[in-house]
Amino acid sequence: MKLQRKNRLRATALGALAVSGALVLTACGSDNNSGEGTTGGNGSKTSAASNIKCDDAKGQLLASGSSAQKNAMDLWAKNYMAGCSGVEINYKSSSSGEGIIAFNQGTVGFAGSDSALKPEEVADSKKICKGGQGIDLPMVGGPIAIGYHLEGVDNLTLDAPTLAKIFDTKIKKWNDPAIAKLNSGVKLPDKAIQPFHRSEDSGTTQNLGKYLGAAAPKDWKYEAEKKWPAPGGQAASNSSGVAAQVKQVDGAIGYFELSYATSQSISTVDINTGGSTPVKATPENASKAIAAAKIKGTGKDLALDLDYTTKAEGAYPIVLVTYEVVCDTGNKAETLPTVKSFLNYTASDEGQKLLTEAGYAPIPAEINSKVRETIASLS
């Protein structure tokens, strides 16, 4: 609970910074902010506090899924609700798997997932999306940070084969020759490595698996699935739980979104991709990798194909994109206006600008323009 509270405080602080510096919102959530707004030339209701178009949004919008985007959702929901009076955005941070299940059961307006819908999940969605199906809208990008806690070691470089062996518990000590070779001049302790992974189905796990499978195929033989595949290691719930364990345990290593590392001052691994210098986990470096992504989805589905083996200078290869899963057609009439209004805000220039300040990477402009067009066409 302390960790969750700390994350909330961090998100609130970042939100305040973004509000004052980027969005110029007035007294978010205060009693003086009526949020009544004005009516634009096209008849849409626009918040007086910002450029958020509230339109016919009303009531409570339930959503759930990926914990990777929790800190982004906290910021977006806070600012959106400050601008649109009478609307409540309730995003339950759980896991990608749980979010998709909730979506296909019809209990949420949209779901967050760190991996695109599988064919069987699309098939299930047709029961809820009357006359349509679930589609993937890329909304949040960012690096999957490899966080570690090793007393006396402030800088650490690893490559894909070494990471694969660590998470597969084949490398067991921090002073292993493979790690030492990548960290010349660093005094590595004779200490046991304690790897942590997610306990529940997770898109973050799947994206890490995609990276390891692509960049270290000889050392990572597992399929890239949402459930952690390798034996050994210790499990923790959600990204926040893995981060908490790494923060507390000397000798620990784990994976989670950069925002969890920055909010808790957890050291992160630089990745040797084969380029001239190791690459740090930063939003800017993740953006360089995501910018090369290609749309592989068909129709209105905008699922992306990421290159996990990039050796481009400054491109951080362990990235994920979180999708908002919605119906292309057949969304519930009572929540559709709020879904469209809220997602229009998250995909806006204002909404995407917040991502960098929260440790995420904005979706490249060319892809994001297609996201906006698709949101406008939802029915």
Side-chain angles (χ1 to χ4, degrees), residues 223-377:
E223 293 293 325
E225 298 291 346
K226 292 178 182 177
K227 187 173 184 62
W228 182 254
Q234 301 175 64
S237 178
N238 300 325
S239 291
S240 58
V242 175
Q245 291 299 319
V246 173
K247 177 76 172 178
Q248 295 168 8
V249 178
D250 187 18
I253 188 169
Y255 58 94
F256 33 79
E257 295 66 43
L258 181 62
S259 60
Y260 291 93
T262 55
S263 66
Q264 298 175 60
S265 300
I266 296 173
S267 298
T268 60
V269 170
D270 296 345
I271 301 299
N272 183 337
T273 63
S276 61
T277 57
V279 185
K280 294 186 177 297
T282 69
E284 295 77 15
N285 291 344
S287 290
K288 293 177 183 177
I290 296 171
K294 306 295 183 184
I295 294 175
K296 66 178 180 181
T298 58
K300 293 183 180 181
D301 188 273
L302 299 177
L304 301 179
D305 186 14
L306 299 168
D307 180 8
Y308 296 98
T309 62
T310 179
K311 293 181 174 58
E313 292 301 317
Y316 184 82
I318 318 176
V319 294
L320 61 74
V321 169
T322 296
Y323 302 95
E324 311 313 335
V325 177
V326 295
C327 297
D328 56 359
T329 299
N331 291 280
K332 292 181 179 179
E334 61 269 28
T335 57
L336 177 61
T338 309
V339 168
K340 293 178 70 171
S341 173
F342 180 65
L343 294 184
N344 268 323
Y345 166 61
T346 65
S348 69
D349 289 339
E350 292 180 357
Q352 289 290 300
K353 186 175 181 180
L354 286 179
L355 293 178
T356 299
E357 299 174 26
Y360 298 97
I363 299 301
E366 182 179 350
I367 297 171
N368 195 41
S369 66
K370 296 179 180 179
V371 172
R372 296 179 192 179
E373 291 175 7
T374 303
I375 293 170
S377 72

Side-chain angles (χ1 to χ4, degrees), residues 191-205:
K191 184 183 293 293
I193 298 174
Q194 299 196 50
F196 285 88
H197 58 263
R198 293 280 290 273
S199 60
E200 69 291 325
D201 285 4
S202 162
T204 311
T205 294

Side-chain angles (χ1 to χ4, degrees), residues 35 38 42 44 76-77 82 108 137 161 163 181 185 225 239 242 297 328-329:
T38 58
N42 60 359
S44 64
W76 282 334
V108 295
L137 301 178
L163 272 174
K181 184 178 180 180
E225 298 291 346
S239 291
V242 175
D328 56 359
T329 299

Side-chain angles (χ1 to χ4, degrees), residues 1-2 24 44 54 72 77 79 95 138-139 144 164 187 189 207 215 260-261 293 301 307 311 326 334 340 361 372:
M1 293 299 294
K2 291 182 178 180
V24 200
S44 64
C54 304
N79 291 339
S95 69
M139 198 66 69
I144 299 175
K187 187 176 181 181
N207 279 277
Y260 291 93
D301 188 273
D307 180 8
K311 293 181 174 58
V326 295
E334 61 269 28
K340 293 178 70 171
R372 296 179 192 179

